Amino acid sequence: MPAERRIVVVTRQWPRFRHPAQVVVAGFATAIAIGTGLLMLPVARSGPGGAGALEALFTSTSAVCVTGLIVVDTPVYWSGFGQAVILGLIQVGGFGIMTFASLLVLLVSHRMGLKTRMTAAAETKTLGLGDVRTVVTGVVKVSLLLEAITALVLVLRFATAYDESWPRAVWLGVFHAVSAFNNAGFALRSDSLMGFVTDPWICLPIALAVIAGGLGFPVLFELRRRLRRPRGWSLHTKIVVWATGVFLLGGTVFITAVEWSNPATLGPLNTPGKLLAGFFQSVMPRTVGFNSVDISQMNPASWLGMDVLMFIGGASAGTAGGIKVTTFAVLAFVIYAEIRGEGAVNIFNRRLHGDLQRQALTVVLLSVAAVATSTMAFMVVTEYSLDQSLFEVISAFATVGLSTGITADLPSGLQLLLITLMFIGRLGPITIASALALRSRDRLYDLPEERPVIG
């Protein structure tokens, strides 16, 4: 009898994502790859041929990560199709990849599965799975509403004050409104917004849209419900609103004072123009790349002050970057409590959990490590000063997009480094670390306790 033959079918097991953070990271990477492919098409470039791979990758990453750093002149290098692709990438990146995917699922099937809710919750920082659907639809509604209001004001101003045709005014208004609310900073003028430095009807709507986007969606939702009842605000909203006000006021005073007599920035402007420009440039380090004065001509002290504002950034669960104002506030109160010798950390009559303190410390230390190592790489490879190198690195990591004018002249290796920083900055160091972890581990035992000497 012939031996029995067995047919073994080998099936390939595709890797499964063990953590929602891995899905978020993969989603952003996929969006960047698609955007890169679209921008490499010949139709996306205004000149002959298609864009180079590095130019397309850098621009796609900057748009999806709502940064605004550029290596080519957006209104000159890209065609109308290319600019439309950039606008789409900004909008999708501002929504959040998984938020956008969840919206598509809702539109098609009118329901969300558990996995979809988990990934959307990880991206939007939603505390519970039950309200993910409400959060996703709310994000879309708030985004489109505020973008529409900003666009309307800008369209009317472009058409009536700058003799733009109505189709051109609509395109300029919509593009800059979406770029502003999503904290992207892409502009359709080679000088960004320097031509409107004293025009409040251009600068103020854009600045207000930037502030709204930087507050984060949870804060916007709560302010809509309880705007006149600040005592009922959550701890997160109180921290974000107070910290935002302090940094905006402090940044305005500092930048205006330092640049007041600078002939290359605020010097030639009258007093109202100086105040408007100072306020505008205080808002922009909140992770937006618009500028109404020449950044490269600013005082190094202003650069350093803007470095601080960029590194701190805006609020969580929004379009802003940086370590976030809540992280900064938590560590500030931890230091305050330690100086006073208090055993617990209290903010606005609320006690902070120890996990939040460790998480804040982790975010800051990982962020400092990324900025420090990248700045050292700049100093080794290029001859740019520490001021310029640090400014460029923090701008990329905090997804700001402001530049001293050196981005396009950097070697390809450093441009790839900036791409990496933008990606890490948009998703957050903890999200990246969680995505890279093979699995989560629960320690089943505690080790003996011992105290090293601190300080």
Side-chain angles (χ1 to χ4, degrees), residues 312-390:
I312 295 173
S316 302
T319 56
I323 63 171
K324 307 298 189 296
V325 292
T326 45
T327 303
F328 179 84
V330 166
L331 290 184
F333 278 95
V334 167
I335 295 173
Y336 179 73
E338 185 65 24
I339 292 175
R340 289 174 57 90
E342 298 178 352
V345 180
N346 303 308
I347 304 179
F348 295 116
N349 297 320
R350 293 291 186 272
R351 181 172 59 87
L352 288 183
H353 196 279
D355 290 345
L356 289 177
Q357 301 172 41
R358 292 195 299 270
Q359 187 177 17
L361 184 61
T362 301
V363 169
V364 171
L365 289 181
L366 289 177
S367 301
V368 169
V371 169
T373 54
S374 300
T375 302
M376 286 188 286
F378 267 68
M379 298 296 293
V380 170
V381 176
T382 71
E383 296 182 355
Y384 294 116
S385 66
L386 175 60
D387 295 333
Q388 292 175 299
S389 300
L390 182 63

